[in-house]
Amino acid sequence: MKLKLLLAALLFFHNSYGYTGEDTITLSGNWQFREDPADQGLQEKWYAQRLGGRIRLPGSMRENGKGGEVTLHTLWTGSIYDSSWYFNPEMAKYRRPGRLWFPFWLTPVKYYTGPAWYQRRISIPAAWKGRRVVLTLERPHWETTVWVDGKAAGMQNSLSAPHVYDLGTALTPGAHTITIRVDNRVKEINVGPDSHSITDHTQGNWNGITGRMDLVAGANIWLEDVQVYPDVDNKRIRLRLQVVQKGNTPLAARVLLAASSFNSAVPHTPPPLQKQVTISGDTALLELVYPMGNDLQLWDEFHPALYRLTVTLIPEHGAQDKKRVSFGMRAFKTDGRRFTINGRPLFLRGTVENCVFPLTGYPPTSEADWLRIFRIARAFGLNHMRFHSWCPPEAAFKAADLVGFYLQPEGPSWANHGSSLGDGAPIDQYIYDETNRMAKAYGNYASFCMMAYGNEPRGGKQAQYLGRFVNYWKAKDPRHVYTGASVGMSWPWVPESEFIVKSGPRGLRWSKPPGTAFDYYDRIKEQKAPYVTHEMGQWCVFPDFSEIPAYTGAFRAHNLELFRDHLQRHHLASQARHFLMASGKLQVLCYKAEIEAAFRTPGLAGFQLLSLNDYPGQGTALVGVLNAFWKEKGYVTAPEFRRFCDTTVLLAKMDKLVYTSGETLEARVTVAHFGQGPLAQVQPQWQVKDAAGRIVAQGRLPVQEVPLGDNISLGDIRLPLQRFDTAAMLTLEIGIPHTAVANSWQFWVYPSALSMPDAAGIYVCDTLDAAAVKRLEEGGKVLLLAAGKVQRGREVVQSFTPVFWNTSWFKMRPPHTLGLYCDPAHPAFRYFPTEYHSNYQWWELVNGGQVMDLESFPPGFRPLVYSIDTWFLNRRLAMLAEARIGRGRLLLCSMDISHELQQRPAARQLRYSLLRYMQSEDFHPPDELPLAAVQDIFTPPARPAFNPYTKGSPDELKPKKQAN
């Protein structure tokens, strides 16, 4: 049944233009072509000449192998805040012709900015004589000018909607020539070079035409526009029809309305309706009401029921015209701090779509491609998508309608970095023009729920401009809700906005030992409108070099190749997979903590991740748990992610996650539930499991009904921990029986009374002093606790959290590392339970701790605990290492396992485990080091500090005065 419904839906969308095959000439195929890099075509009247080259459309120049080679002098569309690649001698090998590998973004196979000319001969059939002909170009990039037989037909420059040219009735039967000039230069209208609608950071500033390309013959009195306004409360739709005719003579006509559901299990067809109307003047605006009946089906994320509406215009004289549109009966509104869908409270679990399509370099125009993306996002628990400074093609709205996804398209602008808003430049009017084109083209789709001007603008009058923009749209179109812009905290407030997208409620409060009880209420408590977290996450992971062969289309991943080659030169190539997996586990830990904090925040309306998939631009921002192709990387699955990011999420509020056996675990259990309705007679169950998966404690919480909302209390868990007399890594799991709703948290218990091993036979020191050297020469054991003493690696700032966005874009702003990697089976960790990656018990050892740069160590040397460096530098960093020094044996640790050990149980336990290891028969380091290599750790380096060679900086690094 579901397959039949989907096929029916796709069939409807395929035919949704309402034209027959005899009415349409498809323009896909081979075109004549000519590049115009000197912009001479207009002056030389190329539109009146035959073009000599060939190209295939739809498509881009890049896909067709047109354009020039990327060089050191390529003028990119996009900001670069770290220019060191151009000047750093170490990067010289990557700046050679034929091996131009730069780290800023993916490398296009060809590059072209400027006008390009496309031309095709067509044949108009005899049956089209006297009929109005319309040329549609679905997604050109971006300014088009059209000529027919050398006569100008107009110019359009939309980045967001199809370019539609009314060619009138002058196309006689027979042969004609259509010439199209496409110009992808930023000219008077400057949307901002980093706008995802045009920037080389993401899709690339391509030249070409994609999607639907056709000529359609229609009636001379036609339906120019059909807009549907669902009225759920009154079970009806209101229609606004724009009818156009050639001439001003009043004309009587009939309008036939017929709607029917097409993708739901229970069909619903309201009775058709016929209205007699009069068309006065060349343009008439008609408003009609169509009752939907008592059995109407509502659209939401759980039941995305859709209708098709056929509007037929039958004039008393002349041919009839027909339009088919899709819509959903839904009311997406705001109610205080909440969004509502059909009166039910809603929490947005979103990601930012950054227009990243590495195979084509432009967004797909087929529903199948978008269905894949939305289904993957849904599998990871999401229900919402924001389109950062761009608007997707119609296929995205169609697919989101079918899946049940709430969309926030934006105007095609990030008016910053050379552009601004509200200062009277052409961009000010262009935003109104573009958003009006978006509303006309896509406004009927149920998934089109929210809209913003775009992203983080510049301009001293931006708040006033955006306030007027929001008021304009609130008055014009009630189907959507509006905000001024999606912004960070330093941007001014726009009080007219119906909802807020701002970065306040995000981040991890791990300057003190981590827990699972904090929230962001202090960031939103003064706000009365729905508050959505702007660009949450941005936690980086190490590159996945195995994906490089997948870049077979419009781009090559030379940035990843550069990082891989650089890693190899630093003798770490064999660790690449380990670093990916270990940093990935930390990334997921951070996403889980941040998303759960969002669910714990009373009244928060939702979040938008940046992003579920990687962002290959702005220096290469590997922030996704999925790669740029929306594929898993291997360290988290969709079901695992959905445990903490879904319609219903269980939460355990624990003040800390590291305990001693004399304490009691206390967890306040709550739930965030935004499902179809309340849950009746729920009795959550909890279990505590050890590292082997054995249940060591369990219980039940009270039976109760769970209403819709956040912070719904389910009860408390208290578990005395005295039974754990040895170090234990445990997991608290809570679930609702007979459902998929479950969540879990790891915690650690260390003995309260821990007798430190006798250090007899071990020289413990914090400096490689003469006594330590003597002990090593005599074949003894030395534990060198170097915390605070390290010089090689002192410039590396380490936090428990990983790199934010990436160190290049933020000019090496800390933190610089991506977590740790170790072998948990190594006997050094026998009494310190751990996995191979960072977890909460490492916080007091790692956060703010020193690392050691092992640059002077032999290439094959492997430490016990790696600190994973930013992939731009790939230094061999470590926090724990062992080696043979002459006849002696050395254990070298840069983590602090000496101070305040009574208040730092994990540090105390690690010291205990290391001493036990050094006393055991297992302490036989496999690697031998010269004493000078170890001494080098304590010698200040001579290398210069990082130099980005660029004075500019991202907005997030610029000081601003916040205006409220």
Side-chain angles (χ1 to χ4, degrees):
M1 174 61 75
K2 289 184 179 179
L3 179 60
K4 291 181 179 179
L5 291 172
L6 177 60
L7 291 174
L10 293 176
L11 180 62
F12 158 67
F13 281 130
H14 181 72
N15 293 317
S16 62
Y17 298 114
Y19 306 116
T20 66
E22 291 78 17
D23 294 329
T24 304
I25 296 175
T26 298
L27 300 179
S28 301
N30 293 320
W31 285 62
Q32 281 74 48
F33 173 76
R34 187 174 178 183
E35 298 176 12
D36 188 7
D39 197 8
Q40 299 173 328
L42 288 175
Q43 182 179 353
E44 297 177 0
K45 300 182 180 180
W46 289 7
Y47 49 82
Q49 305 174 24
R50 181 175 176 82
L51 305 181
R54 291 175 68 83
I55 198 169
R56 189 163 185 84
L57 296 178
S60 68
M61 285 178 57
R62 186 175 297 151
E63 286 180 296
N64 283 270
K66 308 294 185 181
E69 301 297 324
V70 174
T71 72
L72 283 172
H73 306 291
T74 296
L75 297 177
W76 299 104
T77 304
S79 303
I80 298 175
Y81 292 115
D82 171 9
S83 298
S84 57
W85 178 84
Y86 285 98
F87 306 105
N88 188 342
E90 190 178 4
M91 294 289 108
K93 63 182 298 184
Y94 306 118
R95 300 195 295 261
R96 299 197 302 263
R99 203 190 194 209
L100 208 67
W101 295 359
F102 57 88
F104 317 127
W105 45 69
L106 299 173
T107 305
V109 294
K110 294 285 185 179
Y111 197 82
Y112 182 84
T113 304
W117 294 71
Y118 304 80
Q119 190 178 77
R120 180 161 177 169
R121 294 280 287 174
I122 59 163
S123 180
I124 298 296
W128 285 23
K129 183 178 181 180
R131 299 181 68 185
R132 169 178 166 266
V133 178
V134 174
L135 168 66
T136 298
L137 309 173
E138 183 175 356
R139 188 54 65 116
H141 197 85
W142 57 320
E143 179 189 274
T144 62
T145 309
V146 173
W147 293 262
V148 178
D149 299 329
K151 296 180 180 179
M155 185 273 285
Q156 297 185 31
N157 63 359
S158 177
L159 283 159
S160 306
H163 295 202
V164 179
Y165 290 87
D166 187 339
L167 304 181
T169 58
L171 280 181
T172 57
H176 297 273
T177 299
I178 295 177
T179 304
I180 304 172
R181 177 181 181 267
V182 180
D183 192 346
N184 64 330
R185 293 175 295 178
V186 177
K187 298 187 292 187
E188 294 82 6
I189 298 172
N190 183 0
V191 297
D194 296 325
S195 303
H196 295 178
S197 56
I198 65 171
T199 188
D200 288 314
H201 285 290
T202 58
Q203 63 173 308
N205 189 12
W206 52 280
N207 189 304
I209 306 169
T210 65
R212 176 188 168 201
M213 300 178 62
D214 57 33
L215 292 168
V216 174
N220 294 329
I221 302 170
W222 68 93
L223 291 159
E224 175 65 22
D225 190 26
V226 173
Q227 294 296 321
V228 180
Y229 298 82
D231 183 353
V232 172
D233 291 340
N234 294 299
K235 301 178 181 179
R236 65 185 185 180
I237 58 174
R238 291 185 300 108
L239 294 169
R240 292 180 184 173
L241 312 181
Q242 183 181 10
V243 181
V244 180
Q245 65 167 329
K246 297 295 186 181
N248 293 309
T249 304
L251 181 69
R254 287 179 296 141
V255 175
L256 304 181
L257 306 176
S260 181
S261 65
F262 66 87
N263 70 327
S264 51
V266 180
H268 176 229
T269 303
L273 183 68
Q274 178 173 294
K275 290 285 186 178
Q276 195 74 31
V277 299
T278 299
I279 303 168
S280 300
D282 58 356
T283 300
L285 297 177
L286 308 177
E287 295 199 7
L288 305 175
V289 174
Y290 183 26
M292 295 295 292
N294 292 327
D295 298 325
L296 83 167
Q297 300 180 25
L298 301 182
W299 181 95
D300 64 13
E301 63 188 281
F302 304 106
H303 300 289
L306 296 169
Y307 288 86
R308 62 170 174 258
L309 172 70
T310 302
V311 181
T312 306
L313 176 69
I314 306 175
E316 61 179 350
H317 304 296
Q320 70 177 31
D321 192 36
K322 184 181 294 185
K323 256 191 183 307
R324 296 191 182 100
V325 298
S326 167
F327 70 95
M329 290 298 296
R330 63 105 174 114
F332 189 96
K333 297 181 179 180
T334 64
D335 182 8
R337 288 179 175 165
R338 285 274 177 239
F339 294 108
T340 62
I341 180 71
N342 306 324
R344 190 180 65 249
L346 170 68
F347 189 93
L348 295 178
R349 309 178 304 277
T351 186
V352 178
E353 203 337 288
N354 296 295
C355 206
V356 176
F357 301 99
L359 293 181
T360 60
Y362 54 78
T365 55
S366 75
E367 291 114 75
D369 289 326
W370 284 104
L371 282 170
R372 171 183 171 267
I373 289 172
F374 288 126
R375 285 171 177 160
I376 292 171
R378 175 56 55 80
F380 278 78
L382 304 185
N383 63 359
H384 167 55
M385 188 172 287
R386 171 204 166 200
F387 294 86
H388 180 308
S389 62
W390 73 292
C391 180
E394 188 172 26
F397 295 96
K398 293 179 178 181
D401 272 15
L402 288 168
V403 173
F405 236 70
Y406 310 114
L407 304 186
Q408 180 188 319
E410 294 183 345
S413 180
W414 184 353
N416 214 315
H417 316 144
S419 183
S420 67
L421 207 59
D423 294 327
I427 182 64
D428 288 356
Q429 182 58 44
Y430 186 70
I431 293 300
Y432 280 90
D433 294 341
E434 280 288 83
T435 51
N436 271 289
R437 286 187 278 258
M438 289 161 54
K440 179 180 178 180
Y442 318 123
N444 289 324
Y445 289 106
S447 54
F448 188 165
C449 296
M450 308 155 71
M451 187 167 73
Y453 121 83
N455 191 68
E456 298 175 348
R458 186 171 63 90
K461 300 178 182 178
Q462 58 173 286
Q464 298 92 318
Y465 172 90
L466 292 172
R468 292 191 297 270
F469 171 82
V470 170
N471 284 338
Y472 170 85
W473 277 108
K474 286 193 292 189
K476 180 170 183 176
D477 193 340
R479 293 175 295 185
H480 321 124
V481 294
Y482 304 96
T483 193
S486 302
V487 296
M489 279 307 293
S490 57
W491 271 260
W493 291 95
V494 179
E496 295 85 354
S497 293
E498 293 182 282
F499 67 100
I500 300 163
V501 182
K502 212 170 177 71
S503 62
R506 75 182 196 196
L508 295 173
R509 300 178 179 183
W510 287 349
S511 58
K512 58 183 181 180
T516 62
F518 73 95
D519 61 43
Y520 305 116
Y521 184 68
D522 60 320
R523 306 284 183 88
I524 73 167
K525 61 184 179 182
E526 303 299 328
Q527 304 307 318
K528 307 303 180 185
Y531 199 134
V532 180
T533 304
H534 174 64
E535 298 181 354
M536 178 183 276
Q538 306 185 54
W539 308 113
C540 281
V541 68
F542 200 75
D544 181 4
F545 300 125
S546 69
E547 73 181 60
I548 292 174
Y551 291 86
T552 58
F555 294 97
R556 297 293 179 265
H558 292 327
N559 51 346
L560 298 183
E561 291 182 85
L562 186 157
F563 303 141
R564 182 179 61 184
D565 190 68
H566 195 257
L567 188 74
Q568 173 72 45
R569 289 167 52 209
H570 285 76
H571 316 296
L572 288 170
S574 63
Q575 303 303 313
R577 186 68 184 175
H578 294 152
F579 287 177
L580 166 67
M581 297 299 291
S583 63
K585 291 295 185 181
L586 176 58
Q587 180 194 54
V588 174
L589 187 77
C590 292
Y591 276 112
K592 174 177 165 64
E594 201 170 19
I595 289 171
E596 289 182 353
F599 282 125
R600 289 192 297 267
T601 302
L604 187 67
F607 58 80
Q608 297 168 345
L609 301 177
L610 185 60
S611 64
L612 193 64
N613 62 325
D614 281 339
Y615 185 106
Q618 293 185 8
T620 309
L622 304 174
V623 296
V625 298
L626 304 177
N627 66 21
F629 302 94
W630 289 84
K631 293 184 177 180
E632 294 180 5
K633 300 180 183 180
Y635 51 79
V636 67
T637 65
E640 290 169 342
F641 198 89
R642 207 164 53 243
R643 287 167 71 92
F644 57 83
C645 180
D646 206 350
T647 302
T648 305
V649 175
L650 293 168
L651 303 163
K653 296 183 180 181
M654 294 177 282
D655 294 327
K656 60 181 183 177
L657 295 161
V658 174
Y659 298 85
T660 62
S661 56
E663 296 180 287
T664 297
L665 179 142
E666 296 181 349
R668 304 175 298 284
V669 182
T670 65
V671 64
H673 174 54
F674 292 91
Q676 301 179 58
L679 301 177
Q681 298 300 299
V682 166
Q683 185 175 33
Q685 298 180 357
W686 61 270
Q687 298 176 334
V688 173
K689 299 179 181 179
D690 65 15
R694 296 183 293 262
I695 297 173
V696 296
Q698 58 186 326
R700 297 174 183 268
L701 298 175
V703 177
Q704 61 183 286
E705 180 173 295
V706 176
L708 297 176
D710 60 37
N711 284 282
I712 300 158
S713 178
L714 298 180
D716 297 335
I717 298 171
R718 296 188 79 256
L719 178 64
L721 301 173
Q722 67 267 20
R723 72 183 75 180
F724 302 104
D725 53 2
T726 59
M729 181 171 61
L730 304 167
T731 301
L732 170 64
E733 182 167 352
I734 309 173
I736 298 177
H738 313 299
T739 74
V741 179
N743 204 354
S744 59
W745 302 264
Q746 286 182 304
F747 66 99
W748 288 260
V749 181
Y750 300 117
S752 298
L754 186 66
S755 298
M756 201 61 65
D758 185 356
I762 301 174
Y763 182 70
V764 181
C765 57
D766 62 6
T767 305
L768 195 62
D769 54 20
V773 173
K774 187 173 185 297
R775 183 66 63 92
L776 291 170
E777 289 174 347
E778 293 173 348
K781 303 175 183 178
V782 173
L783 174 58
L784 179 49
L785 303 178
K789 304 286 186 176
V790 173
Q791 294 297 321
R792 296 279 179 161
R794 196 177 189 89
E795 75 280 7
V796 180
V797 179
Q798 178 173 246
S799 298
F800 181 71
T801 53
V803 167
F804 176 88
W805 197 237
N806 67 75
T807 52
S808 172
W809 180 258
F810 285 103
K811 295 190 170 185
M812 213 53 62
R813 185 179 75 176
H816 301 142
T817 59
L818 297 153
L820 62 84
Y821 168 70
C822 66
D823 177 6
H826 193 281
F829 305 115
R830 182 169 295 149
Y831 302 99
F832 185 79
T834 187
E835 296 165 294
Y836 64 89
H837 51 83
S838 300
N839 216 321
Y840 289 119
Q841 88 278 25
W842 286 97
W843 177 88
E844 63 187 52
L845 294 155
V846 170
N847 196 56
Q850 280 198 308
V851 301
M852 300 175 286
D853 188 341
L854 307 185
E855 181 181 23
S856 60
F857 283 36
F861 183 86
R862 295 292 177 257
L864 298 181
V865 177
Y866 284 94
S867 183
I868 305 169
D869 194 18
T870 168
W871 57 89
F872 290 92
L873 298 178
N874 291 312
R875 293 161 293 196
R876 283 194 294 157
L877 305 181
M879 292 181 287
L880 183 66
E882 62 177 352
R884 301 192 310 276
I885 308 291
R887 295 165 53 209
R889 288 169 284 175
L890 172 72
L891 190 62
L892 176 61
C893 180
S894 65
M895 295 175 282
D896 182 0
I897 56 173
S898 300
H899 298 94
E900 300 178 333
L901 296 185
Q902 288 305 310
Q903 290 76 44
R904 301 172 61 235
R908 184 174 74 236
Q909 190 68 38
L910 180 60
R911 184 181 181 114
Y912 175 88
S913 189
L914 295 181
L915 287 170
R916 291 288 301 269
Y917 168 58
M918 294 183 74
Q919 290 176 334
S920 72
E921 295 295 324
D922 295 318
F923 184 42
H924 288 287
D927 296 308
E928 184 173 1
L929 285 179
L931 183 63
V934 179
Q935 290 171 328
D936 188 67
I937 293 290
F938 303 94
T939 305
R943 79 166 75 97
F946 170 77
N947 182 3
Y949 294 88
T950 313
K951 292 183 179 180
S953 64
D955 299 311
E956 295 88 340
L957 294 183
K958 295 176 182 176
K960 290 188 180 72
K961 182 182 293 184
Q962 183 170 324
N964 290 312

